[in-house]
Amino acid sequence: MNENKKKIIVLGSGPIRIGQGIEFDYGCVHCVWALREAGYETILINNNPETVSTDFDTSDRLYFEPLTLEDVLNVLEREAPYEGVIVQFGGQTAINLARPLAEAGVRILGSSADSIDLAEDREQFEALLRRLDIPKPAGRAVTSPEAAVQVAHEIGYPCLVRPSYVLGGRAMEIVQSDEELTAYMRYAVDVSPKAPILIDRYVVGKEVEVDCISDGVECLLPGIMEHIERAGVHSGDSMAVYPPQSIAPVTIGKMVDYATRLAREMHVVGVMNIQFVCEGDEPYIIEVNPRASRTVPYLSKITGVPMVQIATRCLLGESIASQGYKPGLWPDQPNPAVKAPVFSFQKLAGVDIPLGPEMKSTGEILGQDVDYPRALYKALLAAGIDIPLKGTLLATLADADKSEALPILREFAALGYRILATSGTCRFLRAAGLDAEPVNKIREGAPNLIDVLRSGRVDLLINTISKDRHIEREGAEIRRASVEQNIPCLTSLDTARALALALEARKNGDPFDVRTVDEYLKK
C-alpha cells in the first residue's frame, strides 16, 4: 500500500432490502473507481456480501462492518489521517450518518450535513422554496395527531402523509379522512418516533424525476424520467420513461430552472434527485434527496453520461465545465428507454399487491427500442408481464374507475381479448356497448372469480382498489389468487393503458431485435 497516497472513505448502503438495493452498490463502485483514477487510496465500509463493492479487488481496503455511527467512527480512527468521507452514494443509510459524523468532527466531502438536513427539515426547506419562488404542494410538518388534523383541514383531503428521514416510502400513505389520519399518526410515530410527519396536499398529476450533478455553482441534468403511473405510486414501483413523452417543453424548462437554482442555494456538491408532480404546465416539488437515487444507473447507461464519475470529481473540487460538460439539460437521446419494476409477490406470502406510496418492488429492469411503445413492450416482458396478443381479461373495477377504464378495455377488446367482469362492471360495460361476460363475485356462489382464476382461462386481471372495506377484503383474496396462479394483475389503470399500447406495438410493428445499450447510444 502506498503510504504517500491520500485516503478517502466511502460509505456503502448495507444489506439490500426493499427501498435500498443494487443501485447504491453501483454508485459506490463507480465512485471508488473514479477516486482510484484520481490517485486516491480508497477505503470502503459496507457489510453486504452480495455486492460488487465488497469484492476483494474493488477498493484498496474493505471494512465489512455495520453502517452505524460507532462502527464507522472506529474505522475512521484506525484509518486516520484521511481526506474525508463520502456519504452520498450509499443511499439513506449512509446519508443519515452525515449529521452525527459531522458533529464528531468528520469532514463530509460534497454536500454538507447542513445541506442534507435542509432537504429533510420541512420548515427550512419550505422557507427556501418561498424565497426562490419555487412551488410545492401545500403542507407542513407535524408531530402530533391534533396538529395533523388541523393541517389536513387547511389543505383539504386527500393528503399524502409520510415520516421524514426514511427510504422506500416506508409508512407513506394517502389518507382521505380525519379517522384515517389519526390512525396513521399513531402508527407513523412508532415507525419514526424522532422524525416529524410530513403532510402534503395530494396532487393528481404526472410525476417526474430529475437527477442532477452540481459542482456548487453549475448544474448538469443528464436526463428527465416521466413516471407512467400517476402520482401516488412510489417511484420505485412506478414505470418510467426517458425522455418524457407527455411533458410540455415549458414544464421541462421550469424543472431545469428550479433544479439548478435549488442546487446552488442548497450548496449541493455531487448528486441530487428531485421528484416533481406536474399539474397542468406547472411542476411542483414533492421531494428532494441530496444523494444518488435508484435512477442513476439507468440515466448513466441510457444517456452515456458517467454520472457518478462526474459527481465524484466535483466532490474533489473540479467543475462540470472543466470535465468537458456543458451545464444544463443534456440533449435527449433518440431511442426511448422504459424502467419497469420487478416484484416478488409469489415469494412474499401475505403481501397484498396494489401499487401505492409505500415501495414493494424488489428489482428493476430496462427496456429500450426505437420508439416508446416498443421500449414499453420490452420492459413489461422483462418484468414478467408476458401475456398473449389476444386472450381473456378479467376486470373487477371500483365504481370511481369504471369510466376511465372503459376506453382501455375497448383497446384490449380490439386486440382480440375476451372480457370477463363482475356484475356491476359487466352491466356498465354492456351499457357502453362493449361485449362482456359476467362472473360471480366470491360471495355470489360458485363458479366465482377465484374459480375462474384457478381454471387457467384468464391471461390478465385488472383489479382497481375500492374504498369499500367489504369489497376490498374480497379484492385482496382475488389478487392473492392471481399471484398464486401466476396471472399478471394490474391495480393501476395507467399500467393497463401502457400494456395495451405495448401489445398494439407488438402486434403491428416490425419484429423485435436485441441490441446493447452502447449500440443504441451510437445511433
Side-chain angles (χ1 to χ4, degrees):
M1 201 66 64
N2 188 344
E3 296 296 331
N4 296 321
K5 274 189 176 183
K6 294 179 179 179
K7 293 186 287 189
I8 290 179
I9 289 90
V10 179
L11 300 190
S13 60
I16 289 174
R17 55 188 171 85
I18 289 178
Q20 185 164 278
I22 201 71
E23 64 274 7
F24 299 124
D25 186 59
Y26 173 97
C28 290
V29 169
H30 282 259
C31 174
V32 165
W33 288 348
L35 291 172
R36 295 180 80 171
E37 187 178 322
Y40 287 87
E41 183 179 339
T42 56
I43 291 94
L44 185 76
I45 307 175
N46 200 12
N47 62 333
N48 189 343
E50 300 175 284
T51 52
V52 179
S53 65
T54 54
D55 283 356
F56 74 95
D57 59 349
T58 295
S59 56
D60 292 305
R61 201 142 54 249
L62 167 69
Y63 285 88
F64 200 87
E65 299 290 340
L67 275 299
T68 66
L69 179 62
E70 180 181 2
D71 289 283
V72 171
L73 286 176
N74 286 338
V75 172
L76 297 184
E77 182 180 1
R78 179 183 177 89
E79 287 294 342
Y82 51 86
E83 291 295 295
V85 175
I86 295 176
V87 300
Q88 59 184 253
F89 299 112
Q92 199 70 32
T93 298
I95 213 80
N96 283 348
L97 287 171
R99 170 57 61 191
L101 286 174
E103 290 175 349
V106 175
R107 182 188 178 203
I108 304 297
L109 296 180
S111 303
S112 67
D114 289 338
S115 296
I116 293 164
D117 284 345
L118 180 56
E120 297 281 8
D121 186 300
R122 176 50 61 96
E123 290 186 8
Q124 288 189 65
F125 188 63
E126 287 188 354
L128 174 62
L129 293 180
R130 285 194 298 270
R131 191 168 77 247
L132 297 177
D133 195 26
I134 296 176
K136 68 168 290 296
R140 290 208 305 274
V142 298
T143 54
S144 69
E146 295 76 19
V149 171
Q150 181 181 343
V151 171
H153 287 178
E154 291 173 9
I155 64 178
Y157 288 106
C159 297
L160 186 67
V161 291
R162 66 193 189 279
S164 49
Y165 293 97
V166 298
L167 185 75
R170 186 168 176 236
M172 186 186 294
E173 288 185 16
I174 298 169
V175 297
Q176 306 279 349
S177 66
D178 289 356
E179 293 75 20
E180 289 184 17
L181 179 55
T182 303
Y184 170 85
M185 287 296 294
R186 287 195 294 267
Y187 163 67
V189 169
D190 290 337
V191 170
S192 189
K194 295 181 180 179
I197 306 302
L198 311 179
I199 302 182
D200 293 305
R201 177 173 73 91
Y202 173 53
V203 178
V204 180
K206 281 283 186 181
E207 195 166 330
V208 179
E209 280 195 75
V210 176
D211 283 296
C212 50
I213 306 165
S214 173
D215 57 17
V217 179
E218 300 293 351
C219 203
L220 169 65
L221 287 74
I224 294 174
M225 298 189 77
E226 174 189 348
H227 290 199
I228 292 170
E229 287 84 4
R230 69 199 69 183
V233 173
H234 190 276
S235 59
D237 289 351
S238 177
M239 290 193 292
V241 57
Y242 164 90
Q245 301 295 301
S246 64
I247 306 297
V250 64
T251 308
I252 291 175
K254 287 180 179 179
M255 288 190 286
V256 173
D257 173 56
Y258 294 164
T260 302
R261 290 195 286 127
L262 196 58
R264 186 177 298 129
E265 287 295 319
M266 292 177 63
H267 306 293
V268 171
V269 178
V271 285
M272 178 174 72
N273 170 266
I274 306 177
Q275 295 178 25
F276 293 91
V277 59
C278 300
E279 191 174 48
D281 287 340
E282 186 60 65
Y284 295 84
I285 284 184
I286 55 177
E287 189 172 354
V288 171
N289 293 304
R291 56 168 173 76
S293 73
R294 66 179 55 83
T295 48
V296 163
Y298 286 93
L299 283 177
S300 297
K301 293 171 183 177
I302 295 164
T303 64
V305 177
M307 293 179 63
V308 177
Q309 179 182 355
I310 298 169
T312 301
R313 290 172 66 176
C314 288
L315 301 184
L316 300 177
E318 296 184 45
S319 68
I320 288 170
S322 69
Q323 298 181 55
Y325 292 90
K326 182 180 178 182
L329 181 62
W330 187 256
D332 287 344
Q333 299 305 299
N335 299 293
V338 174
K339 172 185 79 75
V342 176
F343 299 92
S344 300
F345 293 125
Q346 285 185 311
K347 298 176 182 179
L348 301 173
V351 176
D352 201 2
I353 70 175
L355 299 181
E358 186 159 5
M359 187 172 167
K360 296 178 179 178
S361 63
T362 53
E364 294 174 313
I365 56 83
L366 174 68
Q368 191 168 15
D369 212 299
V370 294
D371 59 31
Y372 168 53
R374 292 170 65 85
L376 185 60
Y377 178 80
K378 282 184 175 179
L380 289 166
L381 185 65
I385 303 179
D386 183 14
I387 66 172
L389 292 178
K390 60 180 181 179
T392 299
L393 184 158
L394 173 58
T396 169
L397 307 171
D399 289 341
D401 298 317
K402 287 173 181 172
S403 295
E404 183 182 352
L406 179 60
I408 300 171
L409 294 178
R410 286 192 196 280
E411 291 180 42
F412 278 99
L415 285 167
Y417 268 79
R418 173 190 177 204
I419 308 296
L420 307 180
T422 49
S423 54
T425 301
C426 187
R427 285 193 300 271
F428 172 82
L429 296 177
R430 285 178 170 178
L434 182 62
D435 188 26
E437 302 173 32
V439 175
N440 286 340
K441 296 179 181 178
I442 295 174
R443 63 178 180 272
E444 292 173 345
N448 58 31
L449 282 164
I450 303 295
D451 299 318
V452 172
L453 288 169
R454 289 173 177 166
S455 71
R457 295 186 292 124
V458 176
D459 299 292
L460 175 66
L461 170 66
I462 299 179
N463 169 249
T464 63
I465 310 305
S466 172
K467 296 299 178 185
D468 185 303
R469 293 189 177 184
H470 178 76
I471 293 174
E472 250 319 281
R473 278 196 295 271
E474 287 199 356
E477 289 185 56
I478 296 164
R479 292 188 291 271
R480 194 67 231 171
S482 73
V483 170
E484 291 168 358
Q485 298 300 312
N486 201 27
I487 298 168
C489 174
L490 307 182
T491 62
S492 165
L493 293 180
D494 298 315
T495 315
R497 187 182 295 108
L499 177 57
L501 179 66
L503 289 176
E504 185 67 30
R506 177 71 180 88
K507 179 180 179 181
N508 298 325
D510 295 327
F512 282 75
D513 62 358
V514 177
R515 302 176 199 163
T516 65
V517 173
D518 288 343
E519 286 173 327
Y520 279 114
L521 272 174
K522 290 175 185 176
K523 288 190 169 290

